Amino acid sequence: MSKLVECIPNFSVSKETDPVVFQGLVDTANSVPGCTVLDVQTDGDHNRCVFTMVGSPAAIEEVVFRLTKKATETIDMTKHKGQHPRMGATDVIPFVPTMDMTVEECVEMSKRVAQRIWDELKVPSFLYEDSATSPDRVNLAKVRKGQFEGMPEKLLQPEWAPDYGERKIHPTAGIIAIGARMPLIAYNINLDTSDLEIANKIAHAIRAINGGFKYCKAIGVMLEDRNIAQVSMNLVNYEGTPIYYVFEMVRALADRYGVRIIGSELVGLTPAKALLDCAEYYLKMENFDARKQTMEYHLIGME
Amino acid sequence: MSKLVECIPNFSVSKETDPVVFQGLVDTANSVPGCTVLDVQTDGDHNRCVFTMVGSPAAIEEVVFRLTKKATETIDMTKHKGQHPRMGATDVIPFVPTMDMTVEECVEMSKRVAQRIWDELKVPSFLYEDSATSPDRVNLAKVRKGQFEGMPEKLLQPEWAPDYGERKIHPTAGIIAIGARMPLIAYNINLDTSDLEIANKIAHAIRAINGGFKYCKAIGVMLEDRNIAQVSMNLVNYEGTPIYYVFEMVRALADRYGVRIIGSELVGLTPAKALLDCAEYYLKMENFDARKQTMEYHLIGME
């Protein structure tokens, strides 16, 4: 089987604000064999675009370097305006393990890419999320605080030296946040009650911050059109906190309030493995190996 | 998304009995872009080999024609000896829908391929399984009865005219069974009892032949080394009879005998979709679309 990694780099330009520069990035994203562009999002108000790409580690490392080079050459942050917080032409580069990869391997990738970007392009970077070199740098919002305009001053503060590069931004490309993280699963469970308070109590019980599951964030939400309450979750590491953990715990807690689960939903893309793990759990499967036993995994693994 | 079809042609030769002819088939199997060879099995005692291939419908049609041509040119059935029943150099060609394909589309494929094999190679064929033109021809064992040596006489019987070709075999390549079928899932459920009779009663209740699920075959089996009884099943259409149907029914029936399910197992390759359907069921998912929402399906769909 071959290793696969996802990369979702964000750039400070949009098709709406500069179609030529945008198209240059699109062409670059498609320039490396072994890398597939799954999705490109662009937002004129944010003046920002996001590429979702997947491929072999070597292909992804190469394409994201080429993209950063292209962005450095064609985007001038001194002239950038947009609603979304940003600090660089290439703003964020997250690496996400997809198949036969560990998050540790993605951390190594993030460091190699950050080093090469500094060596060849002279653009500095912070490591963030699982690649972070201090707890202060895990959260992207904290790292990016001050944005492009405030970075020259921030980099001079004792605790904010870049992880790669000198204590000054690239004059036109700024500075980048580079890091590894597990895929995020947006998962919601609907209850047969219109009492938002029950959803809030359940969310309170299952989320990490209050002592619940380590990789679960949760809030109660009212679905006004259906007049039902929902437990809305982000699962930030489905290997540590599988979907069926939260499903079974929400079921148990709902029962305590005399309420039932009437449905659930996944928002956006999810690794199939997170769902195959649920099938394995509910069917009490013995010795199941999704990579060896499902035809689709075989297909992806073939070169 | 792109359509994918699986094809598992069987040929009357083995690596052990004729490595040169065998290698000729292997090379031919790998000669068409868009077709991936997942597995090749060869058995000297059976004097037979089986290719598991997957690809676009056009690529699969082409590669299976080329394989049949190669087998027709290089295998002489008048000299073939082996333990496995067989009637042709190319013995069986099953087409199995894998992604974004219906079994009806595979039936059309089987007919096109059978026509081309007759037109260009003058090898006749029977359509079988879901492609069968009469109930007598659904079962491969019935179609193949008499084997290569008995076929000249069998073809002269009123009810056994080939579906394609004349009422006589190809002198050295015999005749082929060609057809479409759903993927077969080999699935077993283990019970916490050493009473085989309970597994037999459950198997009796859930299988099609006694009035159970339409696409389920089942028997009770004793796992001697673990001293437990097992319900051993073949699910021949997981869209009609999903895995969770049989799991929940076995659970209910086991409960009636005071017995519990302690585990289950899939044997060999399974379409991931059959398991994603189970996750969807147990998580009560609303509006889930495996093809749109799992990253792996996106990857396979990309060209």
Side-chain angles (χ1 to χ4, degrees), chain A:
Chain A
M1 308 300 293
S2 54
K3 293 175 185 290
L4 279 182
V5 61
E6 185 186 3
C7 188
I8 314 105
N10 290 222
F11 303 95
S12 294
V13 71
S14 73
K15 186 178 186 178
E16 295 79 0
T17 50
D18 196 330
V20 176
V21 169
F22 174 80
Q23 190 58 46
L25 292 175
V26 171
D27 295 342
T28 305
N30 287 298
S31 71
V32 177
C35 166
T36 302
V37 180
L38 292 182
D39 188 40
V40 182
Q41 291 186 357
T42 173
D43 186 307
D45 294 328
H46 288 179
N47 198 0
R48 186 179 185 87
C49 62
V50 179
F51 289 74
T52 303
M53 308 185 297
V54 68
S56 67
I60 288 290
E61 280 190 39
E62 178 61 25
V63 77
V64 80
F65 173 79
R66 289 191 196 179
L67 279 165
T68 303
K69 184 167 189 285
K70 192 75 178 176
T72 304
E73 292 165 355
T74 57
I75 299 173
D76 183 352
M77 289 304 290
T78 64
K79 294 172 182 160
H80 183 272
K81 284 189 168 51
Q83 292 174 3
H84 196 289
R86 77 287 179 274
M87 61 183 181
T90 305
D91 194 53
V92 194
I93 306 178
F95 295 96
V96 178
T98 295
M99 203 167 81
D100 294 324
M101 289 278 287
T102 63
V103 76
E104 289 76 17
E105 290 175 291
C106 287
V107 169
E108 293 309 309
M109 285 184 71
S110 69
K111 292 179 178 175
R112 279 195 301 272
V113 168
Q115 183 70 56
R116 185 175 175 198
I117 288 172
W118 170 247
D119 290 345
E120 300 186 32
L121 307 178
K122 294 299 166 195
V123 182
S125 58
F126 293 116
L127 296 175
Y128 82 116
E129 286 278 358
D130 289 6
S131 302
T133 52
S134 84
D136 270 359
R137 298 184 179 202
V138 172
N139 185 288
L140 177 62
K142 276 194 193 173
V143 170
R144 196 162 50 194
K145 193 173 176 190
Q147 298 196 49
F148 176 75
E149 292 75 9
M151 279 297 144
E153 191 178 335
K154 180 172 181 170
L155 296 192
L156 297 176
Q157 295 171 27
E159 68 275 27
W160 285 106
D163 288 295
Y164 292 84
E166 296 166 5
R167 280 182 183 268
K168 58 180 182 185
I169 62 167
H170 183 287
T172 54
I175 184 167
I176 314 172
I178 306 180
R181 62 168 172 81
M182 285 290 286
L184 184 147
I185 297 177
Y187 181 61
N188 303 322
I189 296 179
N190 298 329
L191 307 174
D192 68 343
T193 177
S194 58
D195 187 350
L196 176 60
E197 193 53 34
I198 292 175
N200 276 329
K201 282 179 181 165
I202 293 173
H204 188 278
I206 62 170
R207 66 193 177 199
I209 198 169
N210 299 113
F213 295 114
K214 179 170 177 183
Y215 298 111
C216 175
K217 302 175 184 181
I219 55 169
V221 170
M222 195 66 198
L223 301 188
E224 301 292 350
D225 55 335
R226 296 172 65 183
N227 195 32
I228 57 171
Q230 177 184 80
V231 182
S232 179
M233 291 163 280
N234 277 335
L235 303 178
V236 296
N237 182 334
Y238 72 88
E239 290 179 348
T241 303
I243 298 174
Y244 59 85
Y245 278 24
V246 300
F247 186 87
E248 289 302 319
M249 195 63 200
V250 170
R251 167 148 55 193
L253 292 164
D255 184 59
R256 178 235 179 287
Y257 297 109
V259 165
R260 287 168 53 87
I261 291 174
I262 55 174
S264 78
E265 61 177 358
L266 282 166
V267 183
L269 269 181
T270 300
K273 184 64 166 52
L275 293 169
L276 295 176
D277 288 347
C278 293
E280 185 180 1
Y281 170 80
Y282 287 108
L283 298 174
K284 301 176 192 279
M285 283 165 66
E286 301 175 358
N287 306 315
F288 176 64
D289 185 334
R291 284 169 171 69
K292 288 186 182 160
Q293 293 192 262
T294 65
M295 172 160 292
E296 291 84 345
Y297 270 95
H298 270 264
L299 278 181
I300 299 172
M302 293 281 166
E303 290 285 304

